[in-house]
Amino acid sequence: MDTVKSVLGKASKAKADIHVDDGDEIKFGHKKLLVRTTPGHTDGCISLVCHSAKAVFTGDALLIRGCGRTDFQQGNSYSLYDSIHKKVFSLPNDYLIFPGHDYTGQTCSSVGEEKQLNPRLSKQREDFKKIMDNLNLPYPAQIDKALPANLVCGVQE
């Protein structure tokens, strides 16, 4: 596995083999992914666009019918709203969205679907901020262990 490299957004300030920024390309085989920074859930969130597959991998920033929380770890509702609208919702409506995870078993959506049906991001910017400010989500049980591990890409020395 010597050829496998970890890749993180430069703004994350976390340990990784490769740090990427907006507009960078990640090439593998005959494919390439275009990096689009999508901060707001965290400073280092990125989305990866594959134009040849008409797809975008959105990590934790944009989920299917939801989005990453913004109430801790550098979260900022305005940054998340702006980055998703400028960097993801600007893609053609038929581009497929693959989030980093989903709690309901959904694996794929589209830009057009999320623009229309996402109950948070289909709203105006100020309404989105109010929604995010009033989610009242519980503090994640394992977050105090997960955040330090995230900063070193899961590698404990």
Side-chain angles (χ1 to χ4, degrees):
M1 298 279 281
D2 291 335
T3 59
V4 176
K5 302 284 185 195
S6 59
V7 179
L8 290 176
K10 183 178 179 181
S12 72
K13 299 185 176 104
K15 184 178 180 180
D17 296 313
I18 301 167
H19 289 96
V20 293
D21 209 349
D22 204 57
D24 289 348
E25 289 183 347
I26 300 170
K27 296 179 183 180
F28 57 100
H30 298 290
K31 299 280 185 193
K32 65 180 175 181
L33 301 172
L34 177 65
V35 176
R36 292 190 175 190
T37 55
T38 47
H41 172 60
T42 67
D43 290 342
C45 279
I46 58 173
S47 293
L48 303 170
V49 179
C50 183
H51 288 294
S52 66
K54 294 186 174 183
V56 57
F57 302 89
T58 57
D60 288 347
L62 176 61
L63 307 174
I64 298 172
R65 308 302 188 266
C67 60
R69 60 192 295 172
T70 58
D71 58 336
F72 65 94
Q73 66 172 358
Q74 311 128 11
N76 183 296
S77 298
Y78 289 130
S79 293
L80 182 60
Y81 185 90
D82 292 343
S83 68
I84 294 300
H85 278 262
K86 291 176 185 172
K87 305 286 181 74
V88 178
F89 285 179
S90 62
L91 293 167
N93 285 338
D94 63 339
Y95 270 48
L96 298 177
I97 293 173
F98 295 94
H101 60 87
D102 183 84
Y103 297 112
T104 64
Q106 299 176 91
T107 59
C108 181
S109 183
S110 72
V111 170
E113 282 182 34
E114 292 307 310
K115 283 174 23 179
Q116 181 180 7
L117 302 174
N118 190 297
R120 298 177 190 170
L121 288 155
S122 62
K123 308 291 188 239
Q124 294 297 312
R125 190 173 189 255
E126 289 303 321
D127 294 330
F128 174 77
K129 172 82 164 101
K130 288 177 189 169
I131 291 168
M132 298 306 288
D133 286 349
N134 291 295
L135 288 177
N136 299 316
L137 298 170
Y139 193 74
Q142 299 296 318
I143 200 69
D144 292 331
K145 293 178 184 174
L147 289 181
N150 287 350
L151 291 175
V152 293
C153 229
V155 178
Q156 304 297 320
E157 294 184 29

